[in-house]
Amino acid sequence: MIRVVLVDDQALFRAGVRMLVSSQPDMDVVGEAGDGSEALEVIGRTRPDVVLMDIRMPVMDGLTATAQVLTQPEPPRIVMLTTFDLDEAAARAIQQGASGFLLKDADPEFLLAAIRTVDSGSSVIAASATRELFAHFTAETKPVPGEYADLTDREREIFALAARGLSNSEIAAREYLSEATVKTHISRILNKLRLRDRVQLVVFAFEHGLA
């Protein structure tokens, strides 16, 4: 069972999501909270796998709560909920380690798929969407860390294409490689750069002026 916590200051919205999630045989809503402060207590007590976290709430907003949750050992995967598709707060949450963001008016099937996707260790927004988001909200670039120098020339080529938001199949077609080979390269790149997924790769590229 995927253990889910819902965090949103609108009780009606939480009720709708709870009914949707609870209708699934592989999911269980183990807690709810109406603000970020309450969320910290609920998450600490219930130890969920996935948290759906609203960004804008009273008392403590979702961004502050997310930052605190992600400092805990073995934190849950967090998906930010927002009403804006280009939301600076969502970009900041992803930089902090959130697994992506969803629009609050997303289709129910997409919401359920997103929960399963992040529970499996992936992110719920495409790298191309991440690129568009960070193109709007990139702050001052940071120095390139030494780990980047450990990439081979081929890995740097794959890194640059992935940072542009290309999928494995698009990279494979462009570079005349098999998708399996591209996947292997991506895995090695993520391991060398200590990144969790492709979304974090795009964030890394933008933060260090490599996009």
mmCIF file of all heavy atoms in Angstrom, residues 144-179:
data_model
loop_
_atom_site.group_PDB
_atom_site.id
_atom_site.type_symbol
_atom_site.label_atom_id
_atom_site.label_comp_id
_atom_site.label_asym_id
_atom_site.label_seq_id
_atom_site.Cartn_x
_atom_site.Cartn_y
_atom_site.Cartn_z
ATOM 1 N N VAL A 144 30.568 25.432 -11.042
ATOM 2 C CA VAL A 144 30.375 24.025 -11.412
ATOM 3 C C VAL A 144 31.164 23.146 -10.444
ATOM 4 O O VAL A 144 32.366 23.343 -10.259
ATOM 5 C CB VAL A 144 30.849 23.769 -12.857
ATOM 6 C CG1 VAL A 144 30.691 22.295 -13.205
ATOM 7 C CG2 VAL A 144 30.071 24.647 -13.829
ATOM 8 N N PRO A 145 30.506 22.178 -9.798
ATOM 9 C CA PRO A 145 31.215 21.332 -8.833
ATOM 10 C C PRO A 145 32.195 20.384 -9.508
ATOM 11 O O PRO A 145 32.082 20.085 -10.705
ATOM 12 C CB PRO A 145 30.076 20.556 -8.147
ATOM 13 C CG PRO A 145 28.966 20.560 -9.139
ATOM 14 C CD PRO A 145 29.081 21.854 -9.888
ATOM 15 N N GLY A 146 33.141 19.906 -8.733
ATOM 16 C CA GLY A 146 34.196 19.047 -9.275
ATOM 17 C C GLY A 146 33.682 17.756 -9.863
ATOM 18 O O GLY A 146 34.305 17.190 -10.777
ATOM 19 N N GLU A 147 32.523 17.269 -9.376
ATOM 20 C CA GLU A 147 31.990 15.997 -9.874
ATOM 21 C C GLU A 147 31.704 16.047 -11.374
ATOM 22 O O GLU A 147 31.787 15.026 -12.059
ATOM 23 C CB GLU A 147 30.699 15.622 -9.131
ATOM 24 C CG GLU A 147 30.884 15.254 -7.674
ATOM 25 C CD GLU A 147 30.837 16.457 -6.749
ATOM 26 O OE1 GLU A 147 30.859 17.597 -7.281
ATOM 27 O OE2 GLU A 147 30.777 16.272 -5.534
ATOM 28 N N TYR A 148 31.391 17.245 -11.879
ATOM 29 C CA TYR A 148 31.075 17.356 -13.307
ATOM 30 C C TYR A 148 32.283 16.980 -14.163
ATOM 31 O O TYR A 148 32.132 16.432 -15.250
ATOM 32 C CB TYR A 148 30.618 18.780 -13.628
ATOM 33 C CG TYR A 148 30.202 18.974 -15.067
ATOM 34 C CD1 TYR A 148 28.981 18.482 -15.532
ATOM 35 C CD2 TYR A 148 31.017 19.655 -15.968
ATOM 36 C CE1 TYR A 148 28.597 18.653 -16.846
ATOM 37 C CE2 TYR A 148 30.630 19.836 -17.287
ATOM 38 C CZ TYR A 148 29.428 19.332 -17.728
ATOM 39 O OH TYR A 148 29.049 19.494 -19.035
ATOM 40 N N ALA A 149 33.466 17.256 -13.663
ATOM 41 C CA ALA A 149 34.682 16.925 -14.404
ATOM 42 C C ALA A 149 34.884 15.419 -14.521
ATOM 43 O O ALA A 149 35.659 14.957 -15.377
ATOM 44 C CB ALA A 149 35.898 17.560 -13.726
ATOM 45 N N ASP A 150 34.208 14.660 -13.682
ATOM 46 C CA ASP A 150 34.339 13.201 -13.727
ATOM 47 C C ASP A 150 33.542 12.581 -14.867
ATOM 48 O O ASP A 150 33.714 11.395 -15.167
ATOM 49 C CB ASP A 150 33.869 12.580 -12.398
ATOM 50 C CG ASP A 150 34.764 12.970 -11.230
ATOM 51 O OD1 ASP A 150 35.949 13.284 -11.471
ATOM 52 O OD2 ASP A 150 34.266 12.969 -10.086
ATOM 53 N N LEU A 151 32.666 13.358 -15.484
ATOM 54 C CA LEU A 151 31.905 12.832 -16.619
ATOM 55 C C LEU A 151 32.808 12.660 -17.834
ATOM 56 O O LEU A 151 33.678 13.492 -18.105
ATOM 57 C CB LEU A 151 30.750 13.778 -16.974
ATOM 58 C CG LEU A 151 29.692 14.070 -15.910
ATOM 59 C CD1 LEU A 151 28.593 14.939 -16.509
ATOM 60 C CD2 LEU A 151 29.120 12.795 -15.336
ATOM 61 N N THR A 152 32.598 11.584 -18.572
ATOM 62 C CA THR A 152 33.328 11.398 -19.825
ATOM 63 C C THR A 152 32.775 12.359 -20.870
ATOM 64 O O THR A 152 31.714 12.975 -20.681
ATOM 65 C CB THR A 152 33.162 9.959 -20.334
ATOM 66 O OG1 THR A 152 31.779 9.737 -20.665
ATOM 67 C CG2 THR A 152 33.598 8.941 -19.270
ATOM 68 N N ASP A 153 33.472 12.480 -21.995
ATOM 69 C CA ASP A 153 32.984 13.359 -23.062
ATOM 70 C C ASP A 153 31.602 12.918 -23.532
ATOM 71 O O ASP A 153 30.728 13.756 -23.793
ATOM 72 C CB ASP A 153 33.960 13.336 -24.243
ATOM 73 C CG ASP A 153 35.266 14.058 -23.931
ATOM 74 O OD1 ASP A 153 35.290 14.840 -22.950
ATOM 75 O OD2 ASP A 153 36.260 13.837 -24.647
ATOM 76 N N ARG A 154 31.409 11.611 -23.663
ATOM 77 C CA ARG A 154 30.117 11.089 -24.111
ATOM 78 C C ARG A 154 29.030 11.397 -23.085
ATOM 79 O O ARG A 154 27.916 11.799 -23.443
ATOM 80 C CB ARG A 154 30.215 9.578 -24.323
ATOM 81 C CG ARG A 154 28.960 8.938 -24.897
ATOM 82 C CD ARG A 154 28.463 9.709 -26.108
ATOM 83 N NE ARG A 154 28.021 8.842 -27.179
ATOM 84 C CZ ARG A 154 27.468 9.262 -28.292
ATOM 85 N NH1 ARG A 154 27.299 10.581 -28.466
ATOM 86 N NH2 ARG A 154 27.109 8.438 -29.232
ATOM 87 N N GLU A 155 29.374 11.247 -21.816
ATOM 88 C CA GLU A 155 28.396 11.533 -20.767
ATOM 89 C C GLU A 155 28.027 13.008 -20.742
ATOM 90 O O GLU A 155 26.871 13.367 -20.482
ATOM 91 C CB GLU A 155 28.943 11.092 -19.411
ATOM 92 C CG GLU A 155 28.949 9.566 -19.241
ATOM 93 C CD GLU A 155 29.721 9.107 -18.030
ATOM 94 O OE1 GLU A 155 30.452 9.923 -17.427
ATOM 95 O OE2 GLU A 155 29.618 7.912 -17.680
ATOM 96 N N ARG A 156 28.982 13.877 -21.039
ATOM 97 C CA ARG A 156 28.671 15.306 -21.088
ATOM 98 C C ARG A 156 27.727 15.619 -22.248
ATOM 99 O O ARG A 156 26.861 16.487 -22.131
ATOM 100 C CB ARG A 156 29.952 16.126 -21.208
ATOM 101 C CG ARG A 156 30.817 16.095 -19.953
ATOM 102 C CD ARG A 156 31.948 17.090 -20.020
ATOM 103 N NE ARG A 156 32.889 16.888 -18.928
ATOM 104 C CZ ARG A 156 33.846 17.722 -18.592
ATOM 105 N NH1 ARG A 156 34.005 18.847 -19.292
ATOM 106 N NH2 ARG A 156 34.662 17.467 -17.600
ATOM 107 N N GLU A 157 27.905 14.913 -23.359
ATOM 108 C CA GLU A 157 26.999 15.104 -24.494
ATOM 109 C C GLU A 157 25.582 14.680 -24.115
ATOM 110 O O GLU A 157 24.604 15.393 -24.405
ATOM 111 C CB GLU A 157 27.482 14.289 -25.699
ATOM 112 C CG GLU A 157 28.796 14.773 -26.299
ATOM 113 C CD GLU A 157 29.299 13.831 -27.378
ATOM 114 O OE1 GLU A 157 28.624 12.808 -27.641
ATOM 115 O OE2 GLU A 157 30.367 14.103 -27.950
ATOM 116 N N ILE A 158 25.467 13.531 -23.468
ATOM 117 C CA ILE A 158 24.153 13.035 -23.048
ATOM 118 C C ILE A 158 23.567 13.966 -21.992
ATOM 119 O O ILE A 158 22.365 14.274 -22.007
ATOM 120 C CB ILE A 158 24.269 11.606 -22.490
ATOM 121 C CG1 ILE A 158 24.856 10.655 -23.537
ATOM 122 C CG2 ILE A 158 22.912 11.112 -21.997
ATOM 123 C CD1 ILE A 158 24.011 10.465 -24.764
ATOM 124 N N PHE A 159 24.407 14.429 -21.068
ATOM 125 C CA PHE A 159 23.963 15.371 -20.030
ATOM 126 C C PHE A 159 23.348 16.614 -20.670
ATOM 127 O O PHE A 159 22.267 17.068 -20.259
ATOM 128 C CB PHE A 159 25.150 15.764 -19.152
ATOM 129 C CG PHE A 159 24.863 16.881 -18.184
ATOM 130 C CD1 PHE A 159 24.422 16.606 -16.893
ATOM 131 C CD2 PHE A 159 25.025 18.215 -18.549
ATOM 132 C CE1 PHE A 159 24.144 17.637 -15.997
ATOM 133 C CE2 PHE A 159 24.752 19.249 -17.661
ATOM 134 C CZ PHE A 159 24.316 18.958 -16.380
ATOM 135 N N ALA A 160 24.024 17.185 -21.662
ATOM 136 C CA ALA A 160 23.553 18.415 -22.301
ATOM 137 C C ALA A 160 22.195 18.205 -22.970
ATOM 138 O O ALA A 160 21.312 19.071 -22.889
ATOM 139 C CB ALA A 160 24.575 18.897 -23.328
ATOM 140 N N LEU A 161 22.011 17.053 -23.593
ATOM 141 C CA LEU A 161 20.733 16.773 -24.257
ATOM 142 C C LEU A 161 19.623 16.542 -23.229
ATOM 143 O O LEU A 161 18.498 17.026 -23.395
ATOM 144 C CB LEU A 161 20.882 15.551 -25.169
ATOM 145 C CG LEU A 161 21.830 15.738 -26.364
ATOM 146 C CD1 LEU A 161 22.042 14.422 -27.090
ATOM 147 C CD2 LEU A 161 21.299 16.796 -27.327
ATOM 148 N N ALA A 162 19.948 15.816 -22.167
ATOM 149 C CA ALA A 162 18.957 15.584 -21.113
ATOM 150 C C ALA A 162 18.582 16.898 -20.433
ATOM 151 O O ALA A 162 17.427 17.122 -20.071
ATOM 152 C CB ALA A 162 19.495 14.590 -20.094
ATOM 153 N N ALA A 163 19.553 17.787 -20.270
ATOM 154 C CA ALA A 163 19.297 19.081 -19.642
ATOM 155 C C ALA A 163 18.387 19.950 -20.502
ATOM 156 O O ALA A 163 17.726 20.850 -19.985
ATOM 157 C CB ALA A 163 20.618 19.806 -19.377
ATOM 158 N N ARG A 164 18.349 19.684 -21.787
ATOM 159 C CA ARG A 164 17.443 20.407 -22.691
ATOM 160 C C ARG A 164 16.041 19.823 -22.660
ATOM 161 O O ARG A 164 15.148 20.318 -23.336
ATOM 162 C CB ARG A 164 17.996 20.363 -24.110
ATOM 163 C CG ARG A 164 19.221 21.243 -24.312
ATOM 164 C CD ARG A 164 19.896 21.000 -25.652
ATOM 165 N NE ARG A 164 18.949 21.058 -26.769
ATOM 166 C CZ ARG A 164 19.254 20.718 -28.021
ATOM 167 N NH1 ARG A 164 20.481 20.283 -28.303
ATOM 168 N NH2 ARG A 164 18.359 20.817 -28.972
ATOM 169 N N GLY A 165 15.858 18.739 -21.901
ATOM 170 C CA GLY A 165 14.534 18.143 -21.761
ATOM 171 C C GLY A 165 14.245 17.012 -22.709
ATOM 172 O O GLY A 165 13.108 16.527 -22.768
ATOM 173 N N LEU A 166 15.252 16.543 -23.460
ATOM 174 C CA LEU A 166 15.019 15.450 -24.396
ATOM 175 C C LEU A 166 14.815 14.138 -23.636
ATOM 176 O O LEU A 166 15.475 13.882 -22.625
ATOM 177 C CB LEU A 166 16.199 15.298 -25.366
ATOM 178 C CG LEU A 166 16.146 16.155 -26.641
ATOM 179 C CD1 LEU A 166 16.252 17.638 -26.304
ATOM 180 C CD2 LEU A 166 17.263 15.748 -27.608
ATOM 181 N N SER A 167 13.927 13.305 -24.130
ATOM 182 C CA SER A 167 13.673 12.000 -23.529
ATOM 183 C C SER A 167 14.753 11.018 -23.970
ATOM 184 O O SER A 167 15.562 11.303 -24.871
ATOM 185 C CB SER A 167 12.308 11.473 -23.969
ATOM 186 O OG SER A 167 12.315 11.219 -25.368
ATOM 187 N N ASN A 168 14.771 9.836 -23.362
ATOM 188 C CA ASN A 168 15.741 8.814 -23.745
ATOM 189 C C ASN A 168 15.610 8.456 -25.219
ATOM 190 O O ASN A 168 16.614 8.297 -25.923
ATOM 191 C CB ASN A 168 15.562 7.555 -22.887
ATOM 192 C CG ASN A 168 16.081 7.733 -21.476
ATOM 193 O OD1 ASN A 168 16.649 8.771 -21.147
ATOM 194 N ND2 ASN A 168 15.887 6.734 -20.639
ATOM 195 N N SER A 169 14.365 8.311 -25.688
ATOM 196 C CA SER A 169 14.156 7.933 -27.087
ATOM 197 C C SER A 169 14.631 9.041 -28.028
ATOM 198 O O SER A 169 15.209 8.756 -29.093
ATOM 199 C CB SER A 169 12.685 7.610 -27.344
ATOM 200 O OG SER A 169 11.860 8.728 -27.058
ATOM 201 N N GLU A 170 14.412 10.290 -27.655
ATOM 202 C CA GLU A 170 14.868 11.409 -28.497
ATOM 203 C C GLU A 170 16.392 11.484 -28.524
ATOM 204 O O GLU A 170 16.989 11.745 -29.585
ATOM 205 C CB GLU A 170 14.274 12.713 -27.969
ATOM 206 C CG GLU A 170 12.766 12.835 -28.186
ATOM 207 C CD GLU A 170 12.152 14.007 -27.457
ATOM 208 O OE1 GLU A 170 12.687 14.410 -26.396
ATOM 209 O OE2 GLU A 170 11.117 14.516 -27.923
ATOM 210 N N ILE A 171 17.013 11.263 -27.375
ATOM 211 C CA ILE A 171 18.482 11.258 -27.332
ATOM 212 C C ILE A 171 19.024 10.100 -28.156
ATOM 213 O O ILE A 171 19.999 10.239 -28.909
ATOM 214 C CB ILE A 171 18.984 11.162 -25.876
ATOM 215 C CG1 ILE A 171 18.600 12.421 -25.102
ATOM 216 C CG2 ILE A 171 20.511 10.972 -25.841
ATOM 217 C CD1 ILE A 171 18.918 12.345 -23.621
ATOM 218 N N ALA A 172 18.396 8.933 -28.035
ATOM 219 C CA ALA A 172 18.839 7.752 -28.779
ATOM 220 C C ALA A 172 18.788 7.999 -30.285
ATOM 221 O O ALA A 172 19.731 7.670 -31.022
ATOM 222 C CB ALA A 172 17.972 6.551 -28.404
ATOM 223 N N ALA A 173 17.686 8.593 -30.752
ATOM 224 C CA ALA A 173 17.542 8.863 -32.181
ATOM 225 C C ALA A 173 18.569 9.892 -32.656
ATOM 226 O O ALA A 173 19.148 9.757 -33.744
ATOM 227 C CB ALA A 173 16.128 9.354 -32.476
ATOM 228 N N ARG A 174 18.817 10.884 -31.836
ATOM 229 C CA ARG A 174 19.737 11.958 -32.212
ATOM 230 C C ARG A 174 21.186 11.473 -32.258
ATOM 231 O O ARG A 174 21.968 11.866 -33.120
ATOM 232 C CB ARG A 174 19.596 13.111 -31.222
ATOM 233 C CG ARG A 174 20.420 14.348 -31.561
ATOM 234 C CD ARG A 174 20.299 15.378 -30.460
ATOM 235 N NE ARG A 174 21.071 16.565 -30.746
ATOM 236 C CZ ARG A 174 20.567 17.711 -31.190
ATOM 237 N NH1 ARG A 174 19.284 17.814 -31.413
ATOM 238 N NH2 ARG A 174 21.352 18.755 -31.415
ATOM 239 N N GLU A 175 21.535 10.610 -31.310
ATOM 240 C CA GLU A 175 22.924 10.160 -31.176
ATOM 241 C C GLU A 175 23.177 8.778 -31.784
ATOM 242 O O GLU A 175 24.273 8.240 -31.633
ATOM 243 C CB GLU A 175 23.305 10.136 -29.684
ATOM 244 C CG GLU A 175 23.274 11.497 -29.023
ATOM 245 C CD GLU A 175 24.294 12.459 -29.619
ATOM 246 O OE1 GLU A 175 25.479 12.092 -29.670
ATOM 247 O OE2 GLU A 175 23.878 13.563 -30.024
ATOM 248 N N TYR A 176 22.165 8.208 -32.428
ATOM 249 C CA TYR A 176 22.271 6.879 -33.038
ATOM 250 C C TYR A 176 22.694 5.825 -32.016
ATOM 251 O O TYR A 176 23.609 5.031 -32.236
ATOM 252 C CB TYR A 176 23.261 6.908 -34.212
ATOM 253 C CG TYR A 176 22.889 7.926 -35.266
ATOM 254 C CD1 TYR A 176 23.556 9.144 -35.346
ATOM 255 C CD2 TYR A 176 21.843 7.689 -36.167
ATOM 256 C CE1 TYR A 176 23.207 10.103 -36.295
ATOM 257 C CE2 TYR A 176 21.488 8.633 -37.119
ATOM 258 C CZ TYR A 176 22.172 9.834 -37.168
ATOM 259 O OH TYR A 176 21.819 10.774 -38.107
ATOM 260 N N LEU A 177 22.005 5.839 -30.883
ATOM 261 C CA LEU A 177 22.253 4.887 -29.811
ATOM 262 C C LEU A 177 20.959 4.142 -29.504
ATOM 263 O O LEU A 177 19.877 4.570 -29.901
ATOM 264 C CB LEU A 177 22.713 5.616 -28.542
ATOM 265 C CG LEU A 177 24.010 6.433 -28.618
ATOM 266 C CD1 LEU A 177 24.167 7.265 -27.347
ATOM 267 C CD2 LEU A 177 25.209 5.523 -28.813
ATOM 268 N N SER A 178 21.082 3.025 -28.811
ATOM 269 C CA SER A 178 19.877 2.340 -28.345
ATOM 270 C C SER A 178 19.368 3.054 -27.096
ATOM 271 O O SER A 178 20.139 3.713 -26.391
ATOM 272 C CB SER A 178 20.180 0.878 -28.015
ATOM 273 O OG SER A 178 20.996 0.790 -26.859
ATOM 274 N N GLU A 179 18.076 2.905 -26.832
ATOM 275 C CA GLU A 179 17.519 3.521 -25.624
ATOM 276 C C GLU A 179 18.150 2.935 -24.365
ATOM 277 O O GLU A 179 18.345 3.635 -23.366
ATOM 278 C CB GLU A 179 15.998 3.330 -25.583
ATOM 279 C CG GLU A 179 15.253 4.250 -26.540
ATOM 280 C CD GLU A 179 13.761 4.287 -26.247
ATOM 281 O OE1 GLU A 179 13.383 4.452 -25.076
ATOM 282 O OE2 GLU A 179 12.982 4.132 -27.210
#
